[in-house]
Amino acid sequence: MKQIKIVVAGPRGRMGKEALTLIENTEHFSLVGVIDRINEGKKVNEIKGLPNLDAIIYTDAIQCFQETAPDVLIDLTTPEIGRYHAELALDYGVRPVVGTTGFSKLDLERLSKLAKERQIGAIIAPNFAIGAILLMKFSQMAAKYFKDIEIIELHHDQKLDAPSGTAIKTAELISSVRESKKQGHPNEHETIQGARGAEFDGIHIHSVRLPGLIAHQEVMFGGHGQLLSIRHDSFNRESFMSGVKVSVETVMNLEVLVYGLENIIE
Ligand SMILES: NC(=O)C1=CN([C@@H]2O[C@H](COP(=O)(O)OP(=O)(O)OC[C@H]3O[C@@H](n4cnc5c(N)ncnc54)[C@H](O)[C@@H]3O)[C@@H](O)[C@H]2O)C=CC1
Ligand SMILES: O=C(O)C1=N[C@H](C(=O)O)C[C@H](O)C1
């Protein structure tokens, strides 16, 4: 299989470290560089806690792309930086695989337009775990029969964005098959602001942040005399890596931006 040259942005992060291990253990993946905020010019294997890979650390993404000419950028950083890296990658002919969440609809539209103009593949995946993709697909199926839906997403307390990218994507998929509906009593009133959570096309989304959690989501469907709950739990970040691997392989054959792994995994 042809070698795929990869740059990882955010290599010291929780997800970034896991992605480096994936690359180390995948024969046809080569790490050619990483983009970090510190340790300019050092090698990955000089940094405590990172795998034994000798790719160079860059603090300047442009220099990294120019000197390493990667096929793919895996971005696992923050919303602002992820946006910047994804756009820059497309400018430099590098295919972005973005796991970073917190992008707006406008960001997605802009990046999609850019990828189309440049005819460069890109993947933005709010969740790489196969179980979470199935949860979204099952939720979309169930929404045809149950119109009253609440999403509860639960994450570790270091997460920057709320609601999670997964919850937003789930609500988008549901609202694509369900007529708009205002849920709850028409005269309901929040005594404490936010009690009913965020709202997307009438679907309420509740974000829980607690230490000890990783990434969890439950979608609750209410009907007369019945409740259907669909839940997914990621107990570690390795759970996301098979989706990262498929994304890196798939993006090599794309010429547009794909938002969501449900569009790739049949
Ligand atoms: N799509 C998916 O399946 C998943 C997505 N995520 C998302 O991935 C992102 C990262 O999550 P975590 O690893 O938990 O966060 P983290 O906070 O552990 O890691 C983020 C890393 O980005 C680095 N960073 C910040 N600014 C940077 C810059 N200018 N250049 C290079 N690196 C920079 C930080 O130093 C940090 O090491 C988040 O947006 C999160 O929501 C997390 C888990 C799964
Ligand atoms: O920040 C996280 O941890 C996660 N972020 C993604 C999201 O916002 O949905 C994916 C997963 O839930 C873990």
Side-chain angles (χ1 to χ4, degrees), residues 173-198:
L173 288 172
I174 289 171
S175 78
S176 72
V177 297
R178 160 190 175 276
E179 259 177 47
S180 284
K181 177 173 187 197
K182 176 154 178 17
Q183 296 180 184
H185 194 285
N187 298 333
E188 86 180 358
H189 162 75
E190 288 183 336
T191 312
I192 299 178
Q193 199 190 346
R196 292 286 288 119

PDB file of all heavy atoms in Angstrom, residues 173-198:
ATOM      1  N   LEU A 173     -28.880  15.630  11.816  1.00  0.00           N
ATOM      2  CA  LEU A 173     -29.363  14.432  11.105  1.00  0.00           C
ATOM      3  C   LEU A 173     -30.832  14.178  11.416  1.00  0.00           C
ATOM      4  O   LEU A 173     -31.617  13.827  10.538  1.00  0.00           O
ATOM      5  CB  LEU A 173     -28.509  13.212  11.487  1.00  0.00           C
ATOM      6  CG  LEU A 173     -27.088  13.209  10.916  1.00  0.00           C
ATOM      7  CD1 LEU A 173     -26.276  12.067  11.499  1.00  0.00           C
ATOM      8  CD2 LEU A 173     -27.104  13.122   9.400  1.00  0.00           C
ATOM      9  N   ILE A 174     -31.199  14.375  12.690  1.00  0.00           N
ATOM     10  CA  ILE A 174     -32.596  14.162  13.086  1.00  0.00           C
ATOM     11  C   ILE A 174     -33.493  15.179  12.382  1.00  0.00           C
ATOM     12  O   ILE A 174     -34.530  14.833  11.817  1.00  0.00           O
ATOM     13  CB  ILE A 174     -32.741  14.267  14.621  1.00  0.00           C
ATOM     14  CG1 ILE A 174     -32.098  13.049  15.295  1.00  0.00           C
ATOM     15  CG2 ILE A 174     -34.209  14.402  15.025  1.00  0.00           C
ATOM     16  CD1 ILE A 174     -31.989  13.140  16.801  1.00  0.00           C
ATOM     17  N   SER A 175     -33.052  16.441  12.370  1.00  0.00           N
ATOM     18  CA  SER A 175     -33.952  17.463  11.811  1.00  0.00           C
ATOM     19  C   SER A 175     -34.064  17.342  10.288  1.00  0.00           C
ATOM     20  O   SER A 175     -34.984  17.884   9.703  1.00  0.00           O
ATOM     21  CB  SER A 175     -33.559  18.864  12.253  1.00  0.00           C
ATOM     22  OG  SER A 175     -32.494  19.314  11.524  1.00  0.00           O
ATOM     23  N   SER A 176     -33.147  16.574   9.673  1.00  0.00           N
ATOM     24  CA  SER A 176     -33.255  16.367   8.218  1.00  0.00           C
ATOM     25  C   SER A 176     -34.391  15.389   7.866  1.00  0.00           C
ATOM     26  O   SER A 176     -34.806  15.315   6.719  1.00  0.00           O
ATOM     27  CB  SER A 176     -31.922  15.868   7.638  1.00  0.00           C
ATOM     28  OG  SER A 176     -31.701  14.540   8.032  1.00  0.00           O
ATOM     29  N   VAL A 177     -34.877  14.639   8.870  1.00  0.00           N
ATOM     30  CA  VAL A 177     -35.958  13.675   8.579  1.00  0.00           C
ATOM     31  C   VAL A 177     -37.233  13.965   9.395  1.00  0.00           C
ATOM     32  O   VAL A 177     -38.220  13.254   9.273  1.00  0.00           O
ATOM     33  CB  VAL A 177     -35.522  12.214   8.871  1.00  0.00           C
ATOM     34  CG1 VAL A 177     -34.378  11.796   7.974  1.00  0.00           C
ATOM     35  CG2 VAL A 177     -35.161  12.016  10.344  1.00  0.00           C
ATOM     36  N   ARG A 178     -37.172  14.980  10.260  1.00  0.00           N
ATOM     37  CA  ARG A 178     -38.302  15.240  11.165  1.00  0.00           C
ATOM     38  C   ARG A 178     -38.781  16.658  10.933  1.00  0.00           C
ATOM     39  O   ARG A 178     -37.976  17.580  10.841  1.00  0.00           O
ATOM     40  CB  ARG A 178     -37.800  15.074  12.601  1.00  0.00           C
ATOM     41  CG  ARG A 178     -38.609  15.715  13.706  1.00  0.00           C
ATOM     42  CD  ARG A 178     -37.748  15.617  14.982  1.00  0.00           C
ATOM     43  NE  ARG A 178     -38.290  16.268  16.142  1.00  0.00           N
ATOM     44  CZ  ARG A 178     -38.149  17.561  16.410  1.00  0.00           C
ATOM     45  NH1 ARG A 178     -37.534  18.370  15.585  1.00  0.00           N
ATOM     46  NH2 ARG A 178     -38.632  18.053  17.538  1.00  0.00           N
ATOM     47  N   GLU A 179     -40.099  16.824  10.814  1.00  0.00           N
ATOM     48  CA  GLU A 179     -40.655  18.170  10.657  1.00  0.00           C
ATOM     49  C   GLU A 179     -40.336  18.997  11.891  1.00  0.00           C
ATOM     50  O   GLU A 179     -40.345  18.464  13.006  1.00  0.00           O
ATOM     51  CB  GLU A 179     -42.168  18.086  10.502  1.00  0.00           C
ATOM     52  CG  GLU A 179     -42.610  18.214   9.055  1.00  0.00           C
ATOM     53  CD  GLU A 179     -44.099  18.064   8.918  1.00  0.00           C
ATOM     54  OE1 GLU A 179     -44.824  18.694   9.707  1.00  0.00           O
ATOM     55  OE2 GLU A 179     -44.505  17.288   8.036  1.00  0.00           O
ATOM     56  N   SER A 180     -40.086  20.289  11.697  1.00  0.00           N
ATOM     57  CA  SER A 180     -39.795  21.158  12.852  1.00  0.00           C
ATOM     58  C   SER A 180     -40.891  21.030  13.890  1.00  0.00           C
ATOM     59  O   SER A 180     -42.061  20.967  13.532  1.00  0.00           O
ATOM     60  CB  SER A 180     -39.748  22.617  12.407  1.00  0.00           C
ATOM     61  OG  SER A 180     -38.558  22.851  11.741  1.00  0.00           O
ATOM     62  N   LYS A 181     -40.492  20.973  15.143  1.00  0.00           N
ATOM     63  CA  LYS A 181     -41.500  20.848  16.186  1.00  0.00           C
ATOM     64  C   LYS A 181     -41.033  21.561  17.443  1.00  0.00           C
ATOM     65  O   LYS A 181     -39.873  21.375  17.853  1.00  0.00           O
ATOM     66  CB  LYS A 181     -41.738  19.361  16.497  1.00  0.00           C
ATOM     67  CG  LYS A 181     -42.718  19.175  17.617  1.00  0.00           C
ATOM     68  CD  LYS A 181     -43.127  17.759  17.878  1.00  0.00           C
ATOM     69  CE  LYS A 181     -44.234  17.819  18.919  1.00  0.00           C
ATOM     70  NZ  LYS A 181     -44.489  16.604  19.574  1.00  0.00           N
ATOM     71  N   LYS A 182     -41.881  22.377  18.036  1.00  0.00           N
ATOM     72  CA  LYS A 182     -41.530  22.963  19.331  1.00  0.00           C
ATOM     73  C   LYS A 182     -41.963  21.961  20.380  1.00  0.00           C
ATOM     74  O   LYS A 182     -43.137  21.591  20.443  1.00  0.00           O
ATOM     75  CB  LYS A 182     -42.258  24.305  19.515  1.00  0.00           C
ATOM     76  CG  LYS A 182     -41.985  24.899  20.886  1.00  0.00           C
ATOM     77  CD  LYS A 182     -42.118  26.381  20.939  1.00  0.00           C
ATOM     78  CE  LYS A 182     -41.894  26.967  22.321  1.00  0.00           C
ATOM     79  NZ  LYS A 182     -41.227  26.173  23.328  1.00  0.00           N
ATOM     80  N   GLN A 183     -41.023  21.497  21.189  1.00  0.00           N
ATOM     81  CA  GLN A 183     -41.339  20.453  22.174  1.00  0.00           C
ATOM     82  C   GLN A 183     -41.705  21.055  23.540  1.00  0.00           C
ATOM     83  O   GLN A 183     -41.368  22.204  23.820  1.00  0.00           O
ATOM     84  CB  GLN A 183     -40.126  19.524  22.319  1.00  0.00           C
ATOM     85  CG  GLN A 183     -39.815  18.784  21.044  1.00  0.00           C
ATOM     86  CD  GLN A 183     -38.617  17.842  21.160  1.00  0.00           C
ATOM     87  OE1 GLN A 183     -38.238  17.250  20.172  1.00  0.00           O
ATOM     88  NE2 GLN A 183     -38.029  17.697  22.329  1.00  0.00           N
ATOM     89  N   GLY A 184     -42.356  20.236  24.339  1.00  0.00           N
ATOM     90  CA  GLY A 184     -42.744  20.669  25.682  1.00  0.00           C
ATOM     91  C   GLY A 184     -44.042  21.466  25.648  1.00  0.00           C
ATOM     92  O   GLY A 184     -44.663  21.632  24.595  1.00  0.00           O
ATOM     93  N   HIS A 185     -44.428  21.973  26.807  1.00  0.00           N
ATOM     94  CA  HIS A 185     -45.685  22.750  26.910  1.00  0.00           C
ATOM     95  C   HIS A 185     -45.508  24.096  26.198  1.00  0.00           C
ATOM     96  O   HIS A 185     -44.467  24.743  26.355  1.00  0.00           O
ATOM     97  CB  HIS A 185     -46.011  22.965  28.394  1.00  0.00           C
ATOM     98  CG  HIS A 185     -47.408  23.431  28.612  1.00  0.00           C
ATOM     99  ND1 HIS A 185     -47.812  24.728  28.334  1.00  0.00           N
ATOM    100  CD2 HIS A 185     -48.505  22.771  29.050  1.00  0.00           C
ATOM    101  CE1 HIS A 185     -49.094  24.833  28.589  1.00  0.00           C
ATOM    102  NE2 HIS A 185     -49.546  23.651  29.031  1.00  0.00           N
ATOM    103  N   PRO A 186     -46.509  24.540  25.432  1.00  0.00           N
ATOM    104  CA  PRO A 186     -46.361  25.819  24.713  1.00  0.00           C
ATOM    105  C   PRO A 186     -46.091  26.995  25.656  1.00  0.00           C
ATOM    106  O   PRO A 186     -45.458  27.977  25.276  1.00  0.00           O
ATOM    107  CB  PRO A 186     -47.703  26.000  23.996  1.00  0.00           C
ATOM    108  CG  PRO A 186     -48.545  24.817  24.305  1.00  0.00           C
ATOM    109  CD  PRO A 186     -47.767  23.842  25.127  1.00  0.00           C
ATOM    110  N   ASN A 187     -46.553  26.891  26.902  1.00  0.00           N
ATOM    111  CA  ASN A 187     -46.346  28.001  27.850  1.00  0.00           C
ATOM    112  C   ASN A 187     -45.212  27.720  28.840  1.00  0.00           C
ATOM    113  O   ASN A 187     -45.142  28.351  29.890  1.00  0.00           O
ATOM    114  CB  ASN A 187     -47.638  28.260  28.644  1.00  0.00           C
ATOM    115  CG  ASN A 187     -48.762  28.668  27.712  1.00  0.00           C
ATOM    116  OD1 ASN A 187     -48.513  29.230  26.636  1.00  0.00           O
ATOM    117  ND2 ASN A 187     -49.996  28.355  28.084  1.00  0.00           N
ATOM    118  N   GLU A 188     -44.361  26.770  28.536  1.00  0.00           N
ATOM    119  CA  GLU A 188     -43.313  26.450  29.532  1.00  0.00           C
ATOM    120  C   GLU A 188     -42.405  27.661  29.751  1.00  0.00           C
ATOM    121  O   GLU A 188     -42.160  28.451  28.841  1.00  0.00           O
ATOM    122  CB  GLU A 188     -42.534  25.181  29.135  1.00  0.00           C
ATOM    123  CG  GLU A 188     -41.382  25.380  28.216  1.00  0.00           C
ATOM    124  CD  GLU A 188     -40.662  24.080  27.861  1.00  0.00           C
ATOM    125  OE1 GLU A 188     -41.018  22.996  28.342  1.00  0.00           O
ATOM    126  OE2 GLU A 188     -39.717  24.179  27.068  1.00  0.00           O
ATOM    127  N   HIS A 189     -41.906  27.774  30.980  1.00  0.00           N
ATOM    128  CA  HIS A 189     -41.133  28.958  31.366  1.00  0.00           C
ATOM    129  C   HIS A 189     -39.928  28.499  32.192  1.00  0.00           C
ATOM    130  O   HIS A 189     -40.078  27.688  33.105  1.00  0.00           O
ATOM    131  CB  HIS A 189     -42.049  29.897  32.176  1.00  0.00           C
ATOM    132  CG  HIS A 189     -41.296  30.901  32.971  1.00  0.00           C
ATOM    133  ND1 HIS A 189     -40.709  32.001  32.391  1.00  0.00           N
ATOM    134  CD2 HIS A 189     -41.013  30.970  34.304  1.00  0.00           C
ATOM    135  CE1 HIS A 189     -40.086  32.705  33.321  1.00  0.00           C
ATOM    136  NE2 HIS A 189     -40.257  32.097  34.492  1.00  0.00           N
ATOM    137  N   GLU A 190     -38.747  29.019  31.860  1.00  0.00           N
ATOM    138  CA  GLU A 190     -37.549  28.646  32.625  1.00  0.00           C
ATOM    139  C   GLU A 190     -37.422  29.538  33.857  1.00  0.00           C
ATOM    140  O   GLU A 190     -37.178  30.742  33.728  1.00  0.00           O
ATOM    141  CB  GLU A 190     -36.299  28.814  31.751  1.00  0.00           C
ATOM    142  CG  GLU A 190     -36.168  27.765  30.666  1.00  0.00           C
ATOM    143  CD  GLU A 190     -34.877  27.912  29.875  1.00  0.00           C
ATOM    144  OE1 GLU A 190     -34.315  29.025  29.826  1.00  0.00           O
ATOM    145  OE2 GLU A 190     -34.430  26.912  29.300  1.00  0.00           O
ATOM    146  N   THR A 191     -37.542  28.972  35.032  1.00  0.00           N
ATOM    147  CA  THR A 191     -37.371  29.733  36.272  1.00  0.00           C
ATOM    148  C   THR A 191     -35.893  30.082  36.452  1.00  0.00           C
ATOM    149  O   THR A 191     -35.533  31.140  36.935  1.00  0.00           O
ATOM    150  CB  THR A 191     -37.865  28.895  37.480  1.00  0.00           C
ATOM    151  OG1 THR A 191     -39.145  28.380  37.127  1.00  0.00           O
ATOM    152  CG2 THR A 191     -37.956  29.726  38.730  1.00  0.00           C
ATOM    153  N   ILE A 192     -35.036  29.133  36.066  1.00  0.00           N
ATOM    154  CA  ILE A 192     -33.593  29.411  36.011  1.00  0.00           C
ATOM    155  C   ILE A 192     -33.196  29.297  34.547  1.00  0.00           C
ATOM    156  O   ILE A 192     -33.466  28.263  33.904  1.00  0.00           O
ATOM    157  CB  ILE A 192     -32.784  28.426  36.874  1.00  0.00           C
ATOM    158  CG1 ILE A 192     -33.203  28.534  38.336  1.00  0.00           C
ATOM    159  CG2 ILE A 192     -31.291  28.665  36.700  1.00  0.00           C
ATOM    160  CD1 ILE A 192     -32.503  27.562  39.269  1.00  0.00           C
ATOM    161  N   GLN A 193     -32.570  30.356  34.013  1.00  0.00           N
ATOM    162  CA  GLN A 193     -32.218  30.382  32.591  1.00  0.00           C
ATOM    163  C   GLN A 193     -31.348  29.180  32.201  1.00  0.00           C
ATOM    164  O   GLN A 193     -30.408  28.837  32.924  1.00  0.00           O
ATOM    165  CB  GLN A 193     -31.478  31.684  32.272  1.00  0.00           C
ATOM    166  CG  GLN A 193     -31.488  31.990  30.789  1.00  0.00           C
ATOM    167  CD  GLN A 193     -30.550  33.138  30.454  1.00  0.00           C
ATOM    168  OE1 GLN A 193     -30.098  33.847  31.343  1.00  0.00           O
ATOM    169  NE2 GLN A 193     -30.247  33.286  29.180  1.00  0.00           N
ATOM    170  N   GLY A 194     -31.688  28.524  31.119  1.00  0.00           N
ATOM    171  CA  GLY A 194     -30.893  27.398  30.631  1.00  0.00           C
ATOM    172  C   GLY A 194     -31.422  26.050  31.083  1.00  0.00           C
ATOM    173  O   GLY A 194     -30.891  25.008  30.702  1.00  0.00           O
ATOM    174  N   ALA A 195     -32.464  26.057  31.913  1.00  0.00           N
ATOM    175  CA  ALA A 195     -32.979  24.803  32.483  1.00  0.00           C
ATOM    176  C   ALA A 195     -33.371  23.793  31.403  1.00  0.00           C
ATOM    177  O   ALA A 195     -33.204  22.587  31.585  1.00  0.00           O
ATOM    178  CB  ALA A 195     -34.167  25.090  33.402  1.00  0.00           C
ATOM    179  N   ARG A 196     -33.860  24.298  30.290  1.00  0.00           N
ATOM    180  CA  ARG A 196     -34.300  23.381  29.232  1.00  0.00           C
ATOM    181  C   ARG A 196     -33.191  23.119  28.208  1.00  0.00           C
ATOM    182  O   ARG A 196     -33.421  22.488  27.182  1.00  0.00           O
ATOM    183  CB  ARG A 196     -35.544  23.945  28.539  1.00  0.00           C
ATOM    184  CG  ARG A 196     -36.775  23.974  29.425  1.00  0.00           C
ATOM    185  CD  ARG A 196     -37.378  22.567  29.643  1.00  0.00           C
ATOM    186  NE  ARG A 196     -38.036  22.058  28.451  1.00  0.00           N
ATOM    187  CZ  ARG A 196     -37.663  20.941  27.813  1.00  0.00           C
ATOM    188  NH1 ARG A 196     -36.628  20.225  28.225  1.00  0.00           N
ATOM    189  NH2 ARG A 196     -38.330  20.536  26.762  1.00  0.00           N
ATOM    190  N   GLY A 197     -32.004  23.616  28.489  1.00  0.00           N
ATOM    191  CA  GLY A 197     -30.860  23.334  27.627  1.00  0.00           C
ATOM    192  C   GLY A 197     -30.851  24.192  26.376  1.00  0.00           C
ATOM    193  O   GLY A 197     -31.605  25.149  26.248  1.00  0.00           O
ATOM    194  N   ALA A 198     -29.962  23.817  25.440  1.00  0.00           N
ATOM    195  CA  ALA A 198     -29.898  24.526  24.149  1.00  0.00           C
ATOM    196  C   ALA A 198     -30.990  23.957  23.261  1.00  0.00           C
ATOM    197  O   ALA A 198     -31.552  22.890  23.546  1.00  0.00           O
ATOM    198  CB  ALA A 198     -28.535  24.304  23.519  1.00  0.00           C
TER     199      ALA A 198
END
